[in-house]
Every structure is written in C-alpha cells, then in structure tokens.
Amino acid sequence: MTNTKSEDLFGRVMLSIEGTSLSLYEKDLISSSQVGGVIFFSRNFISRQQIADLCDEIFSIKTNILIAVDQEGGRVQRFDKEFSKLPSMQELGDYSIKNNDFEICHDVGWLMSSELLASGIDISFAPVLDVDRDTSSIIGDRAFSDNPDLVSTLAKKFIEGMNTAGMKATGKHFPGHGGIFEDSHITEPSDNRNYEDLLNRDIKPFFDLKDKLGAVMSAHIIFPKVDDKSVGFSSKWLKDILRQEIHFNGVVFSDDLSMKGSGDKSFCSKAMNSIRAGCDMVLVCNHPDGVLEVVNYFEKENVSLSEKIITMKKSKFPSWNDLKNNKKRLEILGIIKKIGD
C-alpha cells in the first residue's frame, strides 16, 4: 500500500480557459478532483505579469494542478512581448549543424524553460521529436531535422537545457507525425508504413531519449499496419510498444481530443478510451461543452487519480527580475539574433 498524499494525486483532465482571468464557472470546474491541468493559448496572454497572476489564481484553487503551454518557438509560441522570440527547431537545428554548436540547443531549451518557470508555468509541451523537414503540413519547421540521429542529438541537448532550468520535457508526437502531409487538427490521418520502417526512423528519437523525457504526447494518427486504432486510443501502441518494448516510464499525454484527428465519438467516449489505452492525462481544449462532458463523466465513473502527474511539476522557481538581466540569458539572445539570418 502506498502512502500517497491527496495533494500529490492529480485529476486526469487538462482543459483550456477562455480569457485572461478565470470566470466563476472556470474556478468551479478547476476545483473538480478530476481536473489536473490547465493549458494556455495566445488568447490567455496579455503580459508576463498577467500570466504570472493567472497562474497564482489557479494555484490558489488547488496546488495539485499542472499548468502548461506550447512555447516551442517559431510559429508555435503562445507568449510574446516580454518573452524571448525563439527560433523554430528547424532553424535551431540548421544553425547548430552549420556552426558545429550543439550547445545552443541546450541554451535555448534553458532560456525557454527559465522564462516560463519564472512566470508560474510548469511545462512547455516540447520538444517536437518528429522527423521531418517539408513532408508534413503541420510539423515541417517545428522539427529539428529529417535525420532521426540528428533529431536525437539536438533534442537531447534541448532537453538537458530544460532540465537544467527545472522543467521536465514532453516529447511529441509519438510515434511520429513527420511521415504524412495531413494535419491531424483538421482530418484523421493514416500512415501506411510498417512497424520496422517506423522503428528505424520516426520512433528512433523516442527510443533514444526515453530516459531523458518526463512525458510523451501521443499522435492522432492511425498506422493500419500496426493497429487499426489511432495511437492515443491504442493499448498496442501505448502499453505494448511504448511501455513494454521501448521501456518508457514517464507520463503519457493524449493530444487534444477536440482535434478532428481524434475521431467523431463523444468526448467522454474518447477520453475513457484514451485512459484505458494507457494515457495518464487527456487534453480537451477549446471546447467548453466537451470539457464539462468529460469532467462530469469522470466524476460519475470515479476515474482514478494519477500519482504520476506530479513528476511533471516545476522543480525550480527562478525570479523574473533576476532572469531579465541575467548574463547567460543576454548572451543567448545575442546568438538567437544570428539564427535564421
């Protein structure tokens, strides 16, 4: 029998909010034991201080909650203004290889994480471990490289930078979204490659970095030669392959269940199928009715809380005032200005 404290147990639902502060309805929803996470989008951001205040507002409701954002860099960066403008991972990878300077990946990972941690955020869903350059309509320059060995090498440095700052890394989108053109936000993609082809290419970074990653996010893709279920709903992918073959022991997040790639079943069906397949936490974003449906259903079914999610909480709380003029940060910003030139 474990001696897990109630404040160490996290709900299995991560939701998004509508504005730059919490409504009374959202405060009540977040207080549910089944809600264990909040993800921010650009609409939630006005300024760094406002985001810090919003995090404090959420943590005043409960401490056993994870606050996340997609702050990858390039075209996927939710916070701007006072936050450093980060290069895309493709730009970062190209610069690293051209200049034989892989430490810049470490530095950018540290910079991104430090700024978020100093503002109250626990995690950025990063890095992208997809292997791609120009095949996928949704990945493309979000990937470090179309060479899996380089993805592993560059991402390892980036993750180590995140960890140095005090943030756990989330590799996405398992087992790889870089091999198809279709965007799983707007369609249900299918990738017809066999498992051996995937293992030698797309899966390789996940395998190489399994002990470095705090979490993995699954892709909304069907690989019919492996399983007829989309990865996030497939116990073959999440339990047999990710857990047993790859030996990944961290947290598994679903991708957003409001995406078209997650199928057309009800939100509660998708959420339960995802949990049963092996996800530790499901994301329901930009769909208030869908969130309420899932939370109510999880409460009714008394879905077990997670002991794993706490491992993704931030381990350091840097001061923004100290960070703002930090010599290391300013040096990294100087290098970033050269990237992409």
Side-chain angles (χ1 to χ4, degrees):
M1 179 178 292
T2 63
N3 294 316
T4 306
K5 299 177 182 177
S6 59
E7 59 266 30
D8 294 339
L9 294 172
F10 284 61
R12 311 287 288 275
V13 181
M14 178 175 281
L15 52 80
S16 61
I17 61 173
E18 289 300 301
T20 55
S21 61
L22 298 178
S23 67
L24 291 176
Y25 168 76
E26 288 168 338
K27 290 179 181 180
D28 184 59
L29 191 61
I30 288 170
S31 69
S32 168
S33 62
Q34 295 293 343
V35 175
V38 175
I39 181 171
F40 292 152
F41 290 86
S42 296
R43 67 171 180 271
N44 306 124
F45 176 80
I46 295 175
S47 69
R48 195 212 66 84
Q49 186 59 56
Q50 169 264 327
I51 279 293
D53 292 342
L54 181 52
C55 289
D56 287 343
E57 189 179 12
I58 292 168
F59 290 133
S60 72
I61 298 171
K62 63 188 350 175
T63 56
N64 54 337
I65 192 163
L66 192 68
I67 299 184
V69 69
D70 289 314
Q71 190 84 341
E72 298 173 15
R75 57 192 162 95
V76 182
Q77 178 169 339
R78 308 303 187 198
F79 302 158
D80 53 17
K81 296 179 182 177
E82 300 105 311
F83 289 89
S84 300
K85 176 61 178 174
L86 303 171
S88 72
M89 294 304 97
Q90 185 181 97
E91 290 174 324
L92 183 59
D94 289 349
Y95 179 90
S96 298
I97 295 162
K98 179 181 178 181
N99 294 276
N100 194 29
D101 177 14
F102 291 177
E103 289 305 312
I104 187 59
C105 293
H106 178 286
D107 291 344
V108 172
W110 174 87
L111 175 65
M112 178 272 290
S113 301
S114 295
E115 292 185 349
L116 293 177
L117 293 168
S119 306
I121 307 292
D122 289 301
I123 59 169
S124 172
F125 282 124
V128 166
L129 298 183
D130 301 306
V131 180
D132 188 32
R133 176 162 290 269
D134 52 20
T135 297
S136 172
S137 60
I138 191 59
I139 303 301
D141 65 359
R142 295 168 65 191
F144 284 100
S145 174
D146 57 359
N147 180 314
D149 293 317
L150 284 173
V151 171
S152 295
T153 299
L154 298 166
K156 180 183 177 182
K157 289 291 186 181
F158 192 89
I159 291 167
E160 289 173 348
M162 293 177 69
N163 294 165
T164 298
M167 182 181 288
K168 293 292 184 70
T170 302
K172 59 186 187 184
H173 307 79
F174 177 79
H177 204 314
I180 52 173
F181 175 79
E182 291 79 13
D183 176 358
S184 55
H185 290 84
I186 58 176
T187 189
E188 295 182 63
S190 180
D191 189 324
N192 288 311
R193 288 176 296 169
N194 61 40
Y195 182 64
E196 288 70 26
D197 290 340
L198 293 166
L199 192 62
N200 293 327
R201 182 173 171 84
D202 295 61
I203 297 175
K204 192 175 189 303
F206 293 94
F207 195 97
D208 291 345
L209 300 171
K210 66 181 188 297
D211 297 324
K212 293 281 185 181
L213 294 166
V216 160
M217 178 177 282
S218 60
H220 287 318
I221 300 176
I222 298 172
F223 296 86
K225 292 185 179 177
V226 180
D227 192 19
D228 60 1
K229 295 179 181 176
S230 183
V231 176
F233 309 117
S234 166
S235 60
K236 181 175 180 62
W237 272 113
L238 300 183
K239 293 179 180 178
D240 297 348
I241 296 174
L242 183 59
R243 295 295 192 197
Q244 295 182 20
E245 292 187 25
I246 297 177
H247 301 296
F248 176 70
N249 296 314
V251 173
V252 177
F253 292 102
S254 79
D255 206 344
D256 178 12
L257 296 183
S258 69
M259 291 164 57
K260 292 293 185 182
S262 67
D264 57 5
K265 292 184 179 180
S266 68
F267 277 94
C268 60
S269 293
K270 290 191 287 188
M272 279 307 303
N273 288 341
S274 187
I275 295 292
R276 289 178 182 132
C279 283
D280 297 295
M281 178 172 271
V282 296
L283 276 69
V284 186
C285 309
N286 309 314
H287 203 297
D289 291 342
V291 170
L292 184 60
E293 179 183 330
V294 172
V295 171
N296 286 342
Y297 187 78
F298 276 26
E299 288 178 347
K300 176 185 174 184
E301 296 298 316
N302 195 25
V303 172
S304 62
L305 304 183
S306 171
E307 298 181 24
K308 276 192 170 186
I309 304 300
I310 195 172
T311 63
M312 297 300 291
K313 289 291 290 181
K314 53 183 171 286
S315 62
K316 294 181 183 179
F317 302 81
S319 160
W320 182 266
N321 287 334
D322 291 341
L323 181 65
K324 188 167 56 174
N325 295 312
N326 179 284
K327 181 179 178 182
K328 178 178 178 179
R329 177 176 180 266
L330 297 177
E331 288 175 350
I332 296 168
L333 289 175
I335 298 174
I336 285 177
K337 287 182 180 178
K338 302 176 185 176
I339 296 177
D341 290 344

